[in-house]
Amino acid sequence: MRPASLIYNPAAGRHKLGARVPAILEALAASGFHAVAFPTAGPGDATRLARERAAAGDGVVFALGGDGTVREAAAGLLDSPTMLGILPGGTTNVLARSLRMPLDPLAAARVVGGFRTVPLDVGLCSSRQGNHPFLMMVSCGLDAWLLETLDPRWKRTLGRIGIGLQGLAAWWRYGYPEIEVEAGGQSYKASLVAVCNIDLYGGSYRIAPAARSDDGRLELVLFHGKTRAATLAFAIALGLGRHVRRRDVRIVPVDGEIRIKLPEGTCAQIDGDSVSGCGELVLSVMDQKLRVLAP
């Protein structure tokens, strides 16, 4: 049996995960992992717990929860040989979808013994708010403003439907401030900017089709539309996988640093968590890769 830890967010998703932990621990044991469960108590706790368990010599730290819990646990495993195991238990589970994993945590625990170890790039977003590692993406614009103003009770009660309903209200009120970007020696302006480490966005939407999580670069997605009609058309095209054909969309692969200057009063989202008061963001890929269990 391989020593492991199970870090879980009791509040993740629409249904409380605590009641499922005993069955998940049993499934992990059947997969060859002797895991001990550790619940998180608040933001940042998964990072602390993962760091402590890596220092204690656990070979794998399993993160049970949403993308935020996974990102926090991953941050605690940097500079260690401990692998990250993802047991998706959140609302959208974007990273698990991108890695083609089972989307039920118990189903994932039952088959994780047959997973292989894959390298995963880790992005770094630096601002006056500090340094934030990310696994999926950093974006600025309407989506980040939605997360900043989102009532979490809607998300807990209705899941993705609740997010969508509040998204309609945000779409109607948003003012589309211009965002300035510098990347690869070029300057850009856009109303929505997404810096992607993986291909998926908001669930199963392939916003950056060419993005790979192990190629050492980021995909810069720029949307230039400034009206509600253009935004609605972009959202529909994204859902159909046709947004790359639009004239107001540009996707640029970037090997080096990306700088984003945010207008006053705007915010960013990092792997689904809102961050405000950033001013300027500097994004890059870290030299080290994370070791992840995946199909």
Side-chain angles (χ1 to χ4, degrees):
M1 298 281 280
R2 302 164 66 182
S5 302
L6 174 66
I7 297 174
Y8 69 98
N9 178 3
R14 295 175 58 188
H15 308 287
K16 304 304 182 185
L17 290 175
R20 304 194 69 184
V21 167
I24 290 172
L25 289 175
E26 184 177 341
L28 288 175
S31 294
F33 300 95
H34 176 66
V36 178
F38 299 90
T40 60
D45 211 23
T47 300
R48 176 186 63 82
L49 288 168
R51 186 178 295 116
E52 291 175 355
R53 298 318 305 166
D58 286 353
V60 182
V61 167
F62 291 98
L64 169 61
D67 290 309
T69 302
V70 173
R71 178 180 62 83
E72 285 193 7
L77 299 181
L78 299 177
D79 298 317
S80 84
T82 301
M83 291 179 287
L84 174 68
I86 302 171
L87 301 178
T91 303
T92 51
N93 305 303
V94 182
L95 184 59
R97 292 174 186 270
S98 181
L99 294 174
R100 313 298 188 260
M101 297 184 61
L103 296 181
D104 178 79
L106 184 56
R110 286 172 175 160
V111 298
V112 70
F115 287 0
R116 60 195 177 98
T117 303
V118 300
L120 181 70
D121 287 336
V122 180
L124 183 65
C125 177
S126 301
S127 72
R128 61 192 181 197
Q129 298 296 333
N131 296 323
H132 302 277
F134 65 94
L135 305 179
M136 301 186 307
M137 70 166 52
V138 175
S139 66
C140 318
L142 174 59
D143 61 341
W145 188 69
L146 166 61
L147 289 173
E148 177 76 6
T149 58
L150 181 69
D151 186 337
R153 293 173 296 183
W154 286 55
K155 181 178 179 180
R156 286 195 299 266
T157 304
L158 299 174
R160 295 174 69 180
I161 294 176
I163 296 174
L165 290 174
Q166 291 196 72
L168 288 174
W171 163 72
W172 190 257
R173 301 194 310 268
Y174 191 62
Y176 300 95
E178 194 169 65
I179 302 168
E180 299 178 10
V181 183
E182 293 183 6
Q186 301 293 319
S187 297
Y188 307 95
K189 293 183 179 180
S191 60
L192 187 145
V193 177
V195 179
C196 305
N197 187 44
I198 64 173
D199 56 340
L200 298 186
Y201 168 89
S204 55
Y205 305 113
R206 297 189 70 214
I207 192 170
R212 291 187 52 181
S213 59
D214 61 353
D215 61 359
R217 72 180 187 184
L218 300 167
E219 297 282 322
L220 174 63
V221 180
L222 303 163
F223 170 60
H224 304 283
K226 294 184 178 181
T227 66
R228 287 191 289 270
T231 304
L232 179 60
F234 169 70
I236 293 172
L238 175 61
L240 296 173
R242 300 174 181 170
H243 63 292
V244 295
R245 307 175 189 174
R246 291 180 58 87
R247 293 184 178 181
D248 55 7
V249 173
R250 184 170 184 177
I251 302 179
V252 183
V254 181
D255 291 312
E257 193 174 81
I258 299 173
R259 289 182 174 270
I260 302 175
K261 186 177 180 181
L262 294 175
E264 193 66 31
T266 59
C267 56
Q269 69 91 7
I270 302 175
D271 284 356
D273 291 329
S274 177
V275 180
S276 58
C278 297
E280 184 177 77
L281 305 176
V282 180
L283 301 103
S284 60
V285 177
M286 301 179 70
D287 291 334
Q288 57 190 295
K289 292 182 185 289
L290 192 67
R291 300 169 69 220
V292 181
L293 290 175

